[in-house]
Amino acid sequence: RELSIAIKILSSLQPVSLQPSNRSVDSHLGPREPKRFAVSSFTSRLFRHDRALSMHRIGALHRNIVSGGPSSTDSSSVAVTKMSSPITTHVLNTASGFPAAGMQITIEQLGGGNSWTTLSSKVTNDDGRVKDLMSGKLEPGVYRMTFHTGAYFAAKGEKCFYPECTVVFNIESADMHYHIPLLISPYGYSTYRGS
């Protein structure tokens, strides 16, 4: 399909001169600067089409990587069944510029009576990730991830202002994948919902 679209567009190509226009002279103002290269409307249409095609390919590539294969639908939701964990994270040490390896991460779920139940407690690998952070299917509700930053920096012989970074988030759909990265330094941190 993409090839046929490209052929159709290329068939409508009109020759475009890339030579600059002749220098014109104004009797009062002197020589003018050469005009810019002429660009046809086809070029603009080609750029717009190429950008849309690239965005489509990027989206398809992302879905293939996450789901483990080509998707037959154009849904924005990502199936959890082919993920190693329904909740993933990636911790980066912005002070050193390297992944935060060896950091303990705990995941809890809020239950009745405002009590927290521990679901998993794992340690990041050399890439700052935990591949098997959780197993099974999620339930809608409130979850909490605790990043034990104090112990991580202490093991490196460094002080830190935040001994723990706690991220509380709400899961509405149990059929989606949730990626929650963390950027840390000894005196600050930030997080966001990734993909």
Side-chain angles (χ1 to χ4, degrees), residues 86-87 138-143 169-176 178:
I87 298 178
L138 290 176
E139 298 178 357
V142 178
Y143 291 77
F169 52 96
N170 183 43
I171 289 181
E172 296 181 352
S173 174
D175 296 325
M176 296 184 67
Y178 296 87

Side-chain angles (χ1 to χ4, degrees), residues 104-124:
Q104 184 178 359
I105 301 174
T106 303
I107 296 185
E108 302 165 282
Q109 183 179 10
L110 183 63
N114 290 329
S115 61
W116 293 94
T117 301
T118 301
L119 303 178
S120 175
S121 185
K122 299 292 181 67
V123 177
T124 57

Side-chain angles (χ1 to χ4, degrees), residues 25-153:
V25 178
D26 190 293
S27 59
H28 300 288
L29 302 178
R32 294 178 181 174
E33 291 297 324
K35 294 183 179 180
R36 297 289 183 181
F37 293 142
V39 180
S40 68
S41 60
F42 163 78
T43 308
S44 300
R45 286 188 287 112
L46 182 62
F47 286 162
R48 288 197 298 269
H49 173 77
D50 184 64
R51 182 179 184 276
L53 194 60
S54 298
M55 295 303 294
H56 172 75
R57 287 173 174 169
I58 291 172
L61 178 61
H62 171 74
R63 288 192 296 272
N64 291 350
I65 292 174
V66 173
S67 63
S71 174
S72 59
T73 64
D74 196 25
S75 172
S76 59
S77 299
V78 179
V80 178
T81 54
K82 294 185 180 181
M83 296 295 301
S84 58
S85 174
I87 298 178
T88 56
T89 187
H90 189 199
V91 188
L92 297 174
N93 186 340
T94 59
S96 65
F98 291 97
M103 179 182 295
Q104 184 178 359
I105 301 174
T106 303
I107 296 185
E108 302 165 282
Q109 183 179 10
L110 183 63
N114 290 329
S115 61
W116 293 94
T117 301
T118 301
L119 303 178
S120 175
S121 185
K122 299 292 181 67
V123 177
T124 57
N125 58 19
D126 291 341
D127 193 37
R129 304 176 187 267
V130 182
K131 294 183 179 180
D132 56 345
L133 186 58
M134 285 188 62
S135 60
K137 190 173 182 179
L138 290 176
E139 298 178 357
V142 178
Y143 291 77
R144 179 170 68 184
M145 291 182 67
T146 302
F147 299 83
H148 300 272
T149 51
Y152 164 78
F153 281 111

